[in-house]
């Protein structure tokens, strides 16, 4: 039973560029959440997708957008990259949607470095 | 707004010592869920325990136990007889909101 997978593992981008990160949820899970984890900090909730719609959003600017596909996989897009966007981006999946009541299973993350 | 505070930044213990990680939360919701996750050096967060707000019974699972007290908005996590493999960063979470984490270092 495959867990949550994310690609790529590492990414280096330049300020102003755009980036797309990908996530495949654990088998049987239909809800995907994205988090940003800066060095030495806790994960910060970006948004959550269920049934191909954004259901909840954290305090992140519109530069952060996402998508969920019919197979439940998801993408996180960040436009106009800033140095401050450098972080570990975590994807988490859960079965069903209950506004944060489900146990989340996390992927290994994508380390984004913006230079 | 929801908030989770983990005041302990780093804790160092010697193997076999018991250690308690503190978590204080803020919420106006009457129904909510609290979680503890572990992030080992490999980086992947691992689920440990979940507690809902309407069940204040404290439990023990192996070397792990937790103390949920609604009156003080606390959800503390205890590891009994710590082991070197317990070294990691531990996060308390209230639904989708995470604390800043407590780094636990267990030395032999």
């Amino acid at each position: 039973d495959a867990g949550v997978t994310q690609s790529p593992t590492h990414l280096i981008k330049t300020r102003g560029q755009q980036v797309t990160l990908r996530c495949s949820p654990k088998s049987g899970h239909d809800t995907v959440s994205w988090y940003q984890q800066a060095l030495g900090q806790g994960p910060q909730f970006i948004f959550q997708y269920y049934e191909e719609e954004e259901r909840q959003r954290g305090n992140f600017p519109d530069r952060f957008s996402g998508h969920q596909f019919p197979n439940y996989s998801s993408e996180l897009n960040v436009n106009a990259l800033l140095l401050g966007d450098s972080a570990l981006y975590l994807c988490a999946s859960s079965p069903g949607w209950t506004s944060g009541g489900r146990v989340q299973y996390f992927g290994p993350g994508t380390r984004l470095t913006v230079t | 707004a929801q908030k989770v505070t983990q005041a302990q930044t780093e804790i160092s213990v010697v193997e076999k010592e018991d250690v308690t990680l503190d978590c204080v939360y803020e919420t106006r919701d009457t129904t909510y869920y609290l979680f503890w996750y572990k992030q080992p050096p490999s980086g992947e967060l691992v689920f440990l325990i979940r507690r809902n707000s309407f069940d204040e019974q404290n439990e023990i699972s192996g070397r792990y136990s937790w103390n949920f007290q609604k009156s003080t908005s606390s959800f503390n996590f205890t590891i009994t007889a710590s082991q070197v493999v317990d070294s990691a960063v531990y996060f308390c979470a209230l639904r989708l909101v995470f604390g800043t984490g407590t780094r636990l270092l267990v030395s032999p």
Side-chain angles (χ1 to χ4, degrees):
Chain A
D1 180 21
V4 178
T5 59
Q6 292 185 242
S7 63
T9 306
H10 295 87
L11 205 51
I12 300 176
K13 289 287 190 178
T14 304
R15 270 183 305 176
Q17 287 188 319
Q18 178 264 343
V19 68
T20 297
L21 310 182
R22 296 176 175 81
C23 170
S24 290
K26 183 177 170 64
S27 178
H29 289 187
D30 53 10
T31 300
V32 173
S33 300
W34 286 93
Y35 291 83
Q36 180 193 68
Q37 186 177 21
L39 203 59
Q41 299 297 314
Q44 297 287 315
F45 174 69
I46 303 175
F47 42 55
Q48 183 179 69
Y49 278 83
Y50 173 66
E51 292 186 336
E52 301 179 52
E53 288 188 14
E54 183 182 294
R55 298 290 177 159
Q56 291 188 95
R57 189 179 183 92
N59 189 25
F60 278 80
D62 292 344
R63 298 187 297 109
F64 289 79
S65 63
H67 188 77
Q68 185 179 36
F69 299 94
N71 66 352
Y72 309 125
S73 66
S74 177
E75 288 182 350
L76 164 65
N77 301 293
V78 186
N79 294 322
L81 284 168
L82 304 173
L83 294 179
D85 295 331
S86 295
L88 180 67
Y89 287 84
L90 296 166
C91 172
S93 73
S94 56
W97 183 77
T98 59
S99 186
R102 302 283 188 189
V103 173
Q104 297 186 89
Y105 293 82
F106 284 80
T110 293
R111 173 71 62 186
L112 173 64
T113 302
V114 182
T115 61
Chain B
Q2 300 184 332
K3 184 179 179 181
V4 175
T5 301
Q6 294 181 255
Q8 303 156 309
T9 305
E10 185 170 308
I11 300 175
S12 293
V13 300
V14 177
E15 213 170 15
K16 297 183 183 177
E17 283 187 33
D18 298 347
V19 57
T20 295
L21 309 180
D22 297 335
C23 173
V24 174
Y25 63 92
E26 295 176 29
T27 181
R28 292 182 181 177
D29 296 337
T30 54
T31 301
Y32 48 89
Y33 292 87
L34 294 158
F35 303 83
W36 276 96
Y37 287 87
K38 172 183 178 180
Q39 188 173 41
S42 61
E44 195 162 329
L45 278 115
V46 176
F47 164 74
L48 295 175
I49 54 175
R50 179 180 76 163
R51 172 61 61 201
N52 59 52
S53 56
F54 42 89
D55 182 1
E56 291 194 64
Q57 182 178 358
N58 295 310
E59 295 185 24
I60 297 174
S61 176
R63 296 188 298 110
Y64 298 159
S65 62
W66 47 97
N67 187 314
F68 173 45
Q69 293 199 356
K70 235 175 175 177
S71 59
T72 56
S73 297
S74 65
F75 184 47
N76 298 336
F77 176 62
T78 297
I79 301 174
T80 302
S82 60
Q83 300 174 3
V84 173
V85 292
D86 294 328
S87 297
V89 181
Y90 290 81
F91 291 99
C92 177
L94 170 63
R95 288 188 171 164
L96 305 174
V97 177
F98 281 70
T100 52
T102 297
R103 181 177 299 278
L104 174 63
L105 299 173
V106 183
S107 55

